Amino acid sequence: MQLNLGQHMKMSQQMRLAPRMIQSMEILQLPVLALQERIEQELAENVCLEMRLDEPDAPGKLAEMESARDEAFETPITAKEMAGKDEANGEAAFERLLEISQDWPEDNYTSGSKPSSNRIDEAGDRAHDMIANITEKPQSLHDHLLDQFSYFTVPREIRDFGEFLIQNLDHHGRLQSPLNDLIQLYGRHVRLEDAQQALSLIQKLEPAGVGARDAKECLLLQLKEDTPFRDVLAVLITQHLEDLAQNRLPLIERKTGYSLNLIKEALKELQKLNPYPGAEFESRPNQTVSPDLYLEQDENGKYVVRLEDEYTPRLRISKRYIEMLRQGASDPTTREYIKRKVESAKWLIESIEQRHNTLKRVAQAIVDHQIEFLEKGPEFISPLKMQQIADIVKVHVTTVSRAVDDKWIQTPRGLFPLKRFFGGGTTTAEGEEVAWHIIRLKLKEIVDGENKDDPLSDDALVEELAKHGFNLARRTVTKYRKALNIPSSRQRRSY
């Protein structure tokens, strides 16, 4: 193998995204509340960026954002002014820049006037109401069980190990490890008899079923002396739980000798038991959805998209720093610092403006395509692909994807994610395009109306859909049935 050293010329094409383009894409992809957080972060980090507080809020007016941008750059800075008037004063100017929060009172470097006393009182009342309406943190399952366990009069070693077991219950209230393994993990000596007694006490606590090691034990712990069909239920739970899940009632009838009616009556009682007794104590935070857009009808009945920018502060570049550059910020380091911050603020303002324009155009194009959905209901949604909207708006399809990502629109028919309006479809026997969502609705309608004594198989569902003009493969029907959580024909059968 021979190695040679030499110079070679090579031409290649590479696509590199400028920082400004990257920032614009990031801003476009943010939902309204995340955009608010981003703006607050930029306001905290960029001293040259400030909010416009001199006008009352007027959400939904894109012209105000354009006005803010025009005002921010209405007085350009010449190269001579940027160079500074007195180089000797540069160091002092830089020191003033670093200590601006101490040198200038707040009402001098903010863009708006100070709020009135009435507005301050109103803000205080709103904050007080918000704090008063915060819900109290619910009691956890572990705390609930520990409170009950403390009423038992037992030796110290049993109490300590019982508390240890309670802390090792999962969020469903079950033990995930065998008792012997937990004894080894305990770290202190405890007799097996004491450990079993502690577990037995825990299994007497409420909610019934806690402390179980599997689903069968959990259900058995919930059977009381006065539970109807108690003995039958014990047999069904210990020996035929899987058969019940698969609706194999005739098989259970043959194996147990119980009549079919008795099994069905016992099954009704079984359905009252809770296999996850700790689930009621799970604390799930409420997911708050704020619409990014509103859909309204104008005087001519046309649907018009309106942006929700109530949570988006109007921004501008601080005139104070522009004046600093003109009047005496002559130190090169100071000038470079301010120029960099001003440019960053300018990019942010333009990115927000571009986000507003793109999002509004994309949403309006979607609405124009889905008029029947808005006027007649979800069953009239039309097939729509992102490439179609990209062609209408004349942007790349990835821009459409970013624009609709995690964005919500408030319509007369309710609150929907923008992605809800997209979806593929198929062609009916008459040549009409229909969305997959409509086929799913028709499938559910057919299943709901079937004879439960003789439910339709997947092959029969294919035939029924074909009668309505939907020619689908069996595997497609099976996929949609499972996506809709519709059991198989055997599981849907009534005995």
Side-chain angles (χ1 to χ4, degrees):
M1 180 178 180
Q2 185 176 2
L3 299 177
N4 294 323
L5 296 177
Q7 293 182 342
H8 301 278
M9 294 183 64
K10 180 181 178 181
M11 295 182 63
S12 64
Q13 289 184 339
Q14 293 181 342
M15 185 178 68
R16 295 185 178 181
L17 297 179
R20 184 174 183 177
M21 185 178 297
I22 295 174
Q23 183 187 47
S24 297
M25 292 188 297
E26 291 175 349
I27 294 296
L28 175 62
Q29 195 163 357
L30 294 176
V32 61
L33 294 183
L35 176 62
Q36 180 192 19
E37 294 179 359
R38 175 67 178 270
I39 291 175
E40 291 175 352
Q41 179 184 355
E42 293 289 340
L43 286 169
E45 296 177 354
N46 192 338
V47 295
C48 295
L49 185 68
E50 64 184 18
M51 290 189 296
R52 293 184 58 188
L53 304 175
D54 52 343
E55 298 177 4
D57 290 338
K61 297 180 180 179
L62 182 60
E64 292 184 358
M65 180 61 70
E66 297 173 353
S67 175
R69 180 190 169 206
D70 294 341
E71 182 179 348
F73 306 112
E74 61 183 356
T75 309
I77 304 173
T78 64
K80 182 177 180 180
E81 290 172 328
M82 189 70 77
K85 296 181 180 180
D86 186 0
E87 293 290 333
N89 294 330
E91 184 176 355
F94 185 65
E95 291 298 326
R96 289 197 303 270
L97 176 64
L98 295 178
E99 299 175 358
I100 185 170
S101 59
Q102 291 82 14
D103 291 345
W104 287 320
E106 183 179 358
D107 57 347
N108 283 342
Y109 62 82
T110 55
S111 57
S113 58
K114 296 182 67 175
S116 64
S117 58
N118 289 336
R119 290 181 62 186
I120 294 176
D121 293 339
E122 291 174 1
D125 292 340
R126 287 195 298 269
H128 180 272
D129 293 341
M130 181 182 66
I131 295 174
N133 289 325
I134 295 177
T135 57
E136 183 180 359
K137 183 178 180 181
Q139 188 181 35
S140 68
L141 173 65
H142 297 136
D143 291 339
H144 180 68
L145 296 177
L146 288 172
D147 288 344
Q148 298 177 69
F149 193 74
S150 63
Y151 288 101
F152 289 122
T153 303
V154 292
R156 185 68 182 179
E157 55 272 14
I158 296 178
R159 178 177 304 280
D160 291 346
F161 187 75
E163 293 175 352
F164 170 76
L165 288 181
I166 290 175
Q167 295 294 348
N168 280 275
L169 297 178
D170 65 11
H171 61 284
H172 290 149
R174 296 184 190 172
L175 284 176
Q176 295 298 297
S177 303
L179 186 60
N180 289 330
D181 292 349
L182 292 172
I183 292 175
Q184 298 296 324
L185 294 173
Y186 182 49
R188 286 189 286 170
H189 174 71
V190 59
R191 297 186 305 168
L192 179 60
E193 297 81 3
D194 293 339
Q196 292 173 338
Q197 183 179 352
L199 179 58
S200 177
L201 293 174
I202 292 173
Q203 293 177 347
K204 295 178 181 179
L205 303 178
E206 294 292 336
V210 295
R213 283 155 286 196
D214 54 37
K216 291 182 180 180
E217 186 178 16
C218 179
L219 296 173
L220 290 173
L221 288 173
Q222 298 178 55
L223 299 181
K224 308 300 181 183
E225 292 295 334
D226 56 348
T227 300
F229 310 104
R230 183 179 184 277
D231 295 337
V232 177
L233 284 173
V235 174
L236 295 180
I237 293 172
T238 54
Q239 301 178 23
H240 300 285
L241 203 57
E242 181 64 27
D243 293 331
L244 288 172
Q246 298 297 326
N247 200 26
R248 300 171 184 150
L249 301 191
L251 177 63
I252 299 174
E253 181 184 24
R254 293 195 301 270
K255 288 185 175 181
T256 62
Y258 299 143
S259 67
L260 194 59
N261 287 335
L262 178 60
I263 296 174
K264 291 167 65 176
E265 291 297 324
L267 183 57
K268 292 179 182 178
E269 295 297 326
L270 178 62
Q271 291 171 348
K272 298 177 183 179
L273 306 181
N274 186 2
Y276 307 107
E280 61 182 279
F281 290 88
E282 288 187 74
S283 177
R284 294 187 179 92
N286 295 327
Q287 298 294 327
T288 302
V289 176
S290 296
D292 299 78
L293 307 121
Y294 284 85
L295 188 61
E296 302 170 344
Q297 285 183 291
D298 60 14
E299 60 276 6
N300 299 321
K302 176 179 172 59
Y303 287 102
V304 180
V305 173
R306 174 174 65 84
L307 283 168
E308 175 53 71
D309 58 357
E310 177 183 359
Y311 301 101
T312 307
R314 295 184 300 277
L315 304 174
R316 70 178 182 188
I317 296 176
S318 174
K319 296 180 180 179
R320 173 69 63 178
Y321 289 92
I322 296 177
E323 291 299 322
M324 285 182 63
L325 291 174
R326 288 174 176 165
Q327 296 178 3
S330 56
D331 178 65
T333 305
T334 305
R335 291 199 306 273
E336 183 62 30
Y337 176 83
I338 296 178
K339 286 168 59 180
R340 188 170 65 253
K341 291 297 183 181
V342 167
E343 189 69 16
S344 176
K346 175 184 175 183
W347 284 7
L348 178 64
I349 293 172
E350 291 183 346
S351 296
I352 294 174
E353 178 185 349
Q354 184 177 355
R355 173 190 184 272
H356 281 48
N357 285 326
T358 304
L359 183 55
K360 186 174 182 180
R361 291 166 57 206
V362 168
Q364 188 66 58
I366 295 172
V367 168
D368 293 342
H369 187 88
Q370 299 290 6
I371 295 297
E372 282 196 286
F373 172 92
L374 298 169
E375 294 182 345
K376 300 179 181 180
E379 62 271 18
F380 291 91
I381 191 171
S382 301
L384 180 62
K385 296 182 179 179
M386 290 187 182
Q387 186 61 57
Q388 295 175 248
I389 299 299
D391 294 339
I392 296 172
V393 183
K394 300 189 184 307
V395 296
H396 197 273
V397 65
T398 57
T399 301
V400 176
S401 177
R402 290 188 175 93
V404 302
D405 185 42
D406 206 16
K407 308 295 192 310
W408 293 73
I409 182 170
Q410 182 70 56
T411 73
R413 289 198 169 271
L415 183 64
F416 296 97
L418 280 179
K419 286 186 176 180
R420 171 69 175 78
F421 297 95
F422 291 95
T426 186
T427 304
T428 64
E430 292 78 16
E432 179 186 359
E433 286 192 353
V434 62
W436 292 122
H437 178 71
I438 297 177
I439 298 176
R440 295 188 186 99
L441 291 177
K442 179 57 67 175
L443 175 61
K444 188 176 186 305
E445 179 184 333
I446 293 173
V447 171
D448 291 342
E450 70 183 357
N451 180 9
K452 298 303 179 183
D453 293 333
D454 186 20
L456 299 172
S457 64
D458 287 352
D459 289 325
L461 289 174
V462 171
E463 296 176 2
E464 287 295 321
L465 288 169
K467 294 178 182 179
H468 294 84
F470 305 133
N471 298 315
L472 303 176
R474 182 185 182 278
R475 63 179 180 274
T476 304
V477 173
T478 302
K479 180 181 70 173
Y480 286 164
R481 176 180 60 77
K482 292 180 179 180
L484 293 169
N485 293 320
I486 298 176
S488 64
S489 57
R490 183 181 61 189
Q491 294 172 306
R492 300 198 307 270
R493 184 175 181 179
S494 296
Y495 293 97

